[in-house]
Amino acid sequence: MAETTPRVLVVDDERFFREAIREALAEAGIECEALGSGEAGLAAARDPQVGVVVLDVTLPDMSGIDVLRRLHNERPALRVIVLSAHTDQELVLEALRLDASDYLAKPLHDEELVLAVRRALAGFDVESSWQRLRERLQRLETQMLTLAARLEEAEEEPSQAD
């Protein structure tokens, strides 16, 4: 099965920041999609190819904290990097308590952004690999239990014939 590189989703209502982030990530060879609302971001994050969300904590249609909560509930392996102005420190602390993987202050520095996204993508890859391994182990355990039950049945059959 061929593995594909996870995509990055940018959710920020400020067009300038969306475009700047998209350009910085594109220059670094990182594929991303940029959206301007929390609802659009939540819908797009359902795509299993999305591995990282760069999320502004202040959005016009809903709180970025609410978006983060919903993302965490729907896709726990997803990595979320929160963006905020320096004046939003309480929101940032709340986002970090809710397991955001990183925090970046606006205005952004391209190198810092790219490093944070690459770290988050690597974390998503590790978590995805662990999840696939857990699923494989679960399937193997189920198969072993089935084989053990069959073996037990086969061992009981001759004694019933005696």
Side-chain angles (χ1 to χ4, degrees):
M1 177 164 89
E3 292 296 318
T4 58
T5 303
R7 291 183 309 117
V8 176
L9 180 63
V10 177
V11 182
D12 194 320
D13 62 315
E14 295 179 67
R15 183 177 177 186
F16 170 80
F17 284 110
R18 281 195 315 268
E19 291 178 2
I21 293 168
R22 183 184 3 226
E23 288 172 13
L25 294 178
E27 285 180 20
I30 300 170
E31 182 184 345
C32 80
E33 176 182 1
L35 301 168
S37 72
E39 286 297 335
L42 286 168
R46 289 185 187 103
D47 178 351
Q49 292 305 312
V50 173
V52 174
V53 176
V54 178
L55 175 68
D56 190 4
V57 293
T58 52
L59 297 169
D61 61 334
M62 63 190 309
S63 161
I65 298 299
D66 290 337
V67 173
L68 175 60
R69 277 190 188 101
R70 288 178 59 184
L71 289 172
H72 187 68
N73 287 335
E74 293 173 16
R75 297 205 43 218
L78 195 66
R79 297 298 190 250
V80 180
I81 299 169
V82 294
L83 304 177
S84 178
H86 291 292
T87 58
D88 299 330
Q89 291 304 310
E90 284 302 315
L91 291 174
V92 170
L93 290 173
E94 181 65 15
L96 293 172
R97 279 187 216 103
L98 292 170
D99 211 21
S101 63
D102 210 338
Y103 155 71
L104 298 175
K106 290 180 177 180
L108 299 171
H109 299 282
D110 290 355
E111 186 176 354
E112 182 183 25
L113 169 69
V114 170
L115 288 171
V117 168
R118 284 191 173 139
R119 254 191 327 268
L121 285 167
F124 178 77
D125 282 343
V126 168
E127 180 61 31
S128 296
S129 295
W130 275 108
Q131 183 59 35
R132 285 191 303 275
L133 180 59
R134 284 189 291 269
E135 289 167 1
R136 186 173 178 200
L137 288 171
Q138 183 63 43
R139 286 192 307 272
L140 287 171
E141 181 181 17
T142 300
Q143 290 173 347
M144 292 294 293
L145 291 171
T146 300
L147 289 173
R150 286 183 185 166
L151 180 60
E152 192 174 304
E153 287 174 9
E155 289 174 350
E156 289 176 1
E157 285 178 15
S159 64
Q160 291 175 354
D162 289 339

